[in-house]
Short mmCIF file of all heavy atoms in Angstrom, two decimals:
data_model
loop_
_atom_site.label_atom_id
_atom_site.label_comp_id
_atom_site.label_asym_id
_atom_site.label_seq_id
_atom_site.Cartn_x
_atom_site.Cartn_y
_atom_site.Cartn_z
N ALA A 1 -15.93 -8.42 22.86
CA ALA A 1 -15.26 -9.31 23.81
C ALA A 1 -14.39 -10.33 23.07
O ALA A 1 -14.84 -10.98 22.13
CB ALA A 1 -16.30 -10.03 24.66
N GLY A 2 -13.14 -10.45 23.49
CA GLY A 2 -12.23 -11.43 22.90
C GLY A 2 -11.48 -10.93 21.69
O GLY A 2 -10.59 -11.62 21.18
N ALA A 3 -11.81 -9.74 21.18
CA ALA A 3 -11.15 -9.23 19.97
C ALA A 3 -9.84 -8.52 20.33
O ALA A 3 -9.72 -7.90 21.38
CB ALA A 3 -12.07 -8.26 19.24
N THR A 4 -8.85 -8.63 19.45
CA THR A 4 -7.56 -7.94 19.61
C THR A 4 -7.21 -7.25 18.30
O THR A 4 -7.84 -7.49 17.25
CB THR A 4 -6.44 -8.92 19.98
OG1 THR A 4 -6.19 -9.77 18.85
CG2 THR A 4 -6.82 -9.77 21.19
N LEU A 5 -6.19 -6.41 18.34
CA LEU A 5 -5.77 -5.70 17.13
C LEU A 5 -5.31 -6.67 16.04
O LEU A 5 -5.33 -6.32 14.85
CB LEU A 5 -4.65 -4.71 17.46
CG LEU A 5 -5.03 -3.55 18.40
CD1 LEU A 5 -3.82 -2.65 18.65
CD2 LEU A 5 -6.18 -2.74 17.81
N ALA A 6 -4.91 -7.88 16.42
CA ALA A 6 -4.49 -8.87 15.44
C ALA A 6 -5.66 -9.33 14.57
O ALA A 6 -5.46 -9.95 13.52
CB ALA A 6 -3.86 -10.07 16.14
N ASP A 7 -6.87 -9.03 15.00
CA ASP A 7 -8.05 -9.42 14.22
C ASP A 7 -8.33 -8.46 13.07
O ASP A 7 -9.23 -8.69 12.27
CB ASP A 7 -9.29 -9.50 15.12
CG ASP A 7 -9.19 -10.63 16.13
OD1 ASP A 7 -8.74 -11.73 15.73
OD2 ASP A 7 -9.57 -10.43 17.30
N PHE A 8 -7.55 -7.37 12.99
CA PHE A 8 -7.67 -6.45 11.85
C PHE A 8 -6.83 -6.98 10.69
O PHE A 8 -5.72 -7.47 10.88
CB PHE A 8 -7.20 -5.05 12.22
CG PHE A 8 -8.17 -4.28 13.09
CD1 PHE A 8 -7.73 -3.21 13.85
CD2 PHE A 8 -9.51 -4.62 13.15
CE1 PHE A 8 -8.60 -2.49 14.65
CE2 PHE A 8 -10.40 -3.91 13.95
CZ PHE A 8 -9.94 -2.85 14.70
N ASP A 9 -7.36 -6.86 9.48
CA ASP A 9 -6.71 -7.38 8.28
C ASP A 9 -6.00 -6.25 7.53
O ASP A 9 -6.66 -5.29 7.11
CB ASP A 9 -7.76 -8.03 7.38
CG ASP A 9 -7.15 -8.81 6.23
OD1 ASP A 9 -6.01 -8.52 5.86
OD2 ASP A 9 -7.85 -9.70 5.70
N PRO A 10 -4.68 -6.33 7.35
CA PRO A 10 -3.95 -5.28 6.62
C PRO A 10 -4.48 -5.06 5.20
O PRO A 10 -4.49 -3.93 4.69
CB PRO A 10 -2.50 -5.79 6.59
CG PRO A 10 -2.41 -6.73 7.76
CD PRO A 10 -3.77 -7.37 7.87
N LEU A 11 -4.94 -6.13 4.56
CA LEU A 11 -5.49 -5.99 3.21
C LEU A 11 -6.77 -5.16 3.23
O LEU A 11 -7.03 -4.38 2.30
CB LEU A 11 -5.77 -7.38 2.61
CG LEU A 11 -4.54 -8.23 2.31
CD1 LEU A 11 -4.98 -9.60 1.78
CD2 LEU A 11 -3.63 -7.54 1.29
N GLU A 12 -7.57 -5.30 4.30
CA GLU A 12 -8.80 -4.52 4.40
C GLU A 12 -8.49 -3.05 4.71
O GLU A 12 -9.24 -2.16 4.32
CB GLU A 12 -9.72 -5.12 5.45
CG GLU A 12 -10.26 -6.49 5.09
CD GLU A 12 -10.91 -6.51 3.71
OE1 GLU A 12 -11.73 -5.60 3.42
OE2 GLU A 12 -10.61 -7.43 2.92
N ARG A 13 -7.38 -2.81 5.41
CA ARG A 13 -6.96 -1.42 5.62
C ARG A 13 -6.66 -0.76 4.28
O ARG A 13 -7.04 0.39 4.04
CB ARG A 13 -5.71 -1.37 6.50
CG ARG A 13 -5.96 -1.59 7.97
CD ARG A 13 -4.69 -1.23 8.75
NE ARG A 13 -4.87 -1.47 10.18
CZ ARG A 13 -5.48 -0.64 11.00
NH1 ARG A 13 -6.02 0.46 10.52
NH2 ARG A 13 -5.59 -0.92 12.29
N GLU A 14 -5.96 -1.48 3.42
CA GLU A 14 -5.64 -0.93 2.11
C GLU A 14 -6.92 -0.74 1.28
O GLU A 14 -7.06 0.26 0.57
CB GLU A 14 -4.67 -1.86 1.38
CG GLU A 14 -4.25 -1.37 -0.01
CD GLU A 14 -3.58 0.00 0.04
OE1 GLU A 14 -2.95 0.33 1.05
OE2 GLU A 14 -3.71 0.75 -0.96
N ARG A 15 -7.84 -1.68 1.39
CA ARG A 15 -9.11 -1.55 0.68
C ARG A 15 -9.86 -0.30 1.18
O ARG A 15 -10.52 0.41 0.42
CB ARG A 15 -9.97 -2.80 0.87
CG ARG A 15 -11.17 -2.87 -0.09
CD ARG A 15 -12.12 -4.00 0.30
NE ARG A 15 -11.44 -5.27 0.48
CZ ARG A 15 -11.19 -6.11 -0.52
NH1 ARG A 15 -11.56 -5.80 -1.75
NH2 ARG A 15 -10.59 -7.26 -0.27
N LEU A 16 -9.77 -0.06 2.49
CA LEU A 16 -10.41 1.11 3.08
C LEU A 16 -9.86 2.39 2.48
O LEU A 16 -10.63 3.29 2.09
CB LEU A 16 -10.20 1.09 4.60
CG LEU A 16 -10.47 2.39 5.37
CD1 LEU A 16 -11.95 2.74 5.28
CD2 LEU A 16 -10.05 2.25 6.83
N ARG A 17 -8.55 2.50 2.38
CA ARG A 17 -7.95 3.72 1.83
C ARG A 17 -8.32 3.88 0.35
O ARG A 17 -8.57 5.00 -0.12
CB ARG A 17 -6.43 3.68 2.01
CG ARG A 17 -6.02 3.71 3.50
CD ARG A 17 -4.50 3.70 3.68
NE ARG A 17 -4.13 3.67 5.09
CZ ARG A 17 -4.07 4.73 5.88
NH1 ARG A 17 -4.33 5.94 5.38
NH2 ARG A 17 -3.71 4.61 7.15
N GLN A 18 -8.39 2.79 -0.38
CA GLN A 18 -8.79 2.87 -1.78
C GLN A 18 -10.27 3.28 -1.91
O GLN A 18 -10.64 4.03 -2.81
CB GLN A 18 -8.57 1.52 -2.46
CG GLN A 18 -7.10 1.15 -2.62
CD GLN A 18 -6.91 -0.24 -3.21
OE1 GLN A 18 -7.87 -0.93 -3.56
NE2 GLN A 18 -5.66 -0.67 -3.31
N ALA A 19 -11.09 2.80 -0.97
CA ALA A 19 -12.51 3.14 -1.01
C ALA A 19 -12.72 4.63 -0.75
O ALA A 19 -13.60 5.26 -1.36
CB ALA A 19 -13.27 2.32 0.03
N ILE A 20 -11.93 5.22 0.15
CA ILE A 20 -12.05 6.66 0.42
C ILE A 20 -11.78 7.46 -0.85
O ILE A 20 -12.47 8.44 -1.16
CB ILE A 20 -11.08 7.07 1.55
CG1 ILE A 20 -11.51 6.42 2.87
CG2 ILE A 20 -11.03 8.59 1.69
CD1 ILE A 20 -10.50 6.60 3.99
N GLN A 21 -10.79 7.03 -1.63
CA GLN A 21 -10.49 7.70 -2.89
C GLN A 21 -11.58 7.43 -3.94
O GLN A 21 -12.03 8.35 -4.62
CB GLN A 21 -9.13 7.24 -3.41
CG GLN A 21 -7.95 7.68 -2.54
CD GLN A 21 -6.63 7.18 -3.08
OE1 GLN A 21 -6.50 6.02 -3.47
NE2 GLN A 21 -5.63 8.06 -3.11
N LYS A 22 -12.03 6.19 -4.01
CA LYS A 22 -13.00 5.80 -5.04
C LYS A 22 -14.35 6.48 -4.83
O LYS A 22 -14.98 6.96 -5.78
CB LYS A 22 -13.18 4.28 -5.01
CG LYS A 22 -14.26 3.76 -5.96
CD LYS A 22 -14.39 2.24 -5.85
CE LYS A 22 -15.51 1.71 -6.73
NZ LYS A 22 -15.66 0.24 -6.60
N PHE A 23 -14.82 6.53 -3.59
CA PHE A 23 -16.16 7.05 -3.31
C PHE A 23 -16.18 8.52 -2.88
O PHE A 23 -17.23 9.05 -2.53
CB PHE A 23 -16.83 6.20 -2.22
CG PHE A 23 -17.04 4.77 -2.61
CD1 PHE A 23 -16.45 3.74 -1.87
CD2 PHE A 23 -17.82 4.43 -3.70
CE1 PHE A 23 -16.63 2.41 -2.22
CE2 PHE A 23 -18.00 3.10 -4.06
CZ PHE A 23 -17.41 2.09 -3.32
N GLY A 24 -15.01 9.17 -2.91
CA GLY A 24 -14.97 10.58 -2.55
C GLY A 24 -15.19 10.82 -1.08
O GLY A 24 -15.91 11.76 -0.70
N GLY A 25 -14.59 9.99 -0.24
CA GLY A 25 -14.76 10.14 1.19
C GLY A 25 -13.92 11.27 1.75
O GLY A 25 -13.40 12.12 1.01
N ASP A 26 -13.79 11.29 3.06
CA ASP A 26 -13.05 12.34 3.76
C ASP A 26 -11.55 12.12 3.53
O ASP A 26 -10.93 11.25 4.14
CB ASP A 26 -13.38 12.28 5.25
CG ASP A 26 -12.80 13.46 6.02
OD1 ASP A 26 -11.95 14.17 5.47
OD2 ASP A 26 -13.21 13.64 7.19
N ARG A 27 -10.95 12.95 2.67
CA ARG A 27 -9.57 12.73 2.26
C ARG A 27 -8.56 13.00 3.38
O ARG A 27 -7.41 12.55 3.31
CB ARG A 27 -9.24 13.58 1.03
CG ARG A 27 -10.14 13.28 -0.17
CD ARG A 27 -9.64 13.96 -1.41
NE ARG A 27 -8.38 13.41 -1.87
CZ ARG A 27 -8.26 12.33 -2.63
NH1 ARG A 27 -9.35 11.67 -3.01
NH2 ARG A 27 -7.07 11.91 -3.02
N ILE A 28 -8.99 13.69 4.42
CA ILE A 28 -8.10 13.89 5.56
C ILE A 28 -7.70 12.56 6.19
O ILE A 28 -6.61 12.40 6.72
CB ILE A 28 -8.79 14.80 6.60
CG1 ILE A 28 -8.97 16.21 6.02
CG2 ILE A 28 -8.01 14.85 7.91
CD1 ILE A 28 -9.71 17.15 6.93
N LEU A 29 -8.61 11.58 6.08
CA LEU A 29 -8.33 10.26 6.65
C LEU A 29 -7.11 9.61 6.01
O LEU A 29 -6.42 8.80 6.64
CB LEU A 29 -9.55 9.35 6.48
CG LEU A 29 -10.83 9.79 7.20
CD1 LEU A 29 -12.00 8.91 6.78
CD2 LEU A 29 -10.64 9.73 8.72
N LEU A 30 -6.84 9.95 4.75
CA LEU A 30 -5.72 9.33 4.04
C LEU A 30 -4.37 9.79 4.59
O LEU A 30 -3.35 9.14 4.35
CB LEU A 30 -5.81 9.66 2.54
CG LEU A 30 -7.06 9.14 1.82
CD1 LEU A 30 -7.09 9.62 0.39
CD2 LEU A 30 -7.11 7.62 1.88
N GLU A 31 -4.37 10.90 5.31
CA GLU A 31 -3.12 11.42 5.85
C GLU A 31 -2.77 10.82 7.21
O GLU A 31 -1.69 11.08 7.75
CB GLU A 31 -3.22 12.95 5.99
CG GLU A 31 -3.53 13.65 4.67
CD GLU A 31 -3.79 15.14 4.85
OE1 GLU A 31 -3.61 15.62 6.00
OE2 GLU A 31 -4.18 15.80 3.88
N LEU A 32 -3.67 10.02 7.78
CA LEU A 32 -3.48 9.48 9.13
C LEU A 32 -2.77 8.13 9.09
O LEU A 32 -2.95 7.34 8.16
CB LEU A 32 -4.83 9.33 9.82
CG LEU A 32 -5.71 10.59 9.91
CD1 LEU A 32 -7.03 10.24 10.59
CD2 LEU A 32 -4.98 11.69 10.66
#
């Protein structure tokens, strides 16, 4: 409740993509 897309942090998005590469996550996610 009360949350909007503006509450997402672009820096954390980049950290997420780096984490997928670092920890061997689902690489298909990197193409999205």
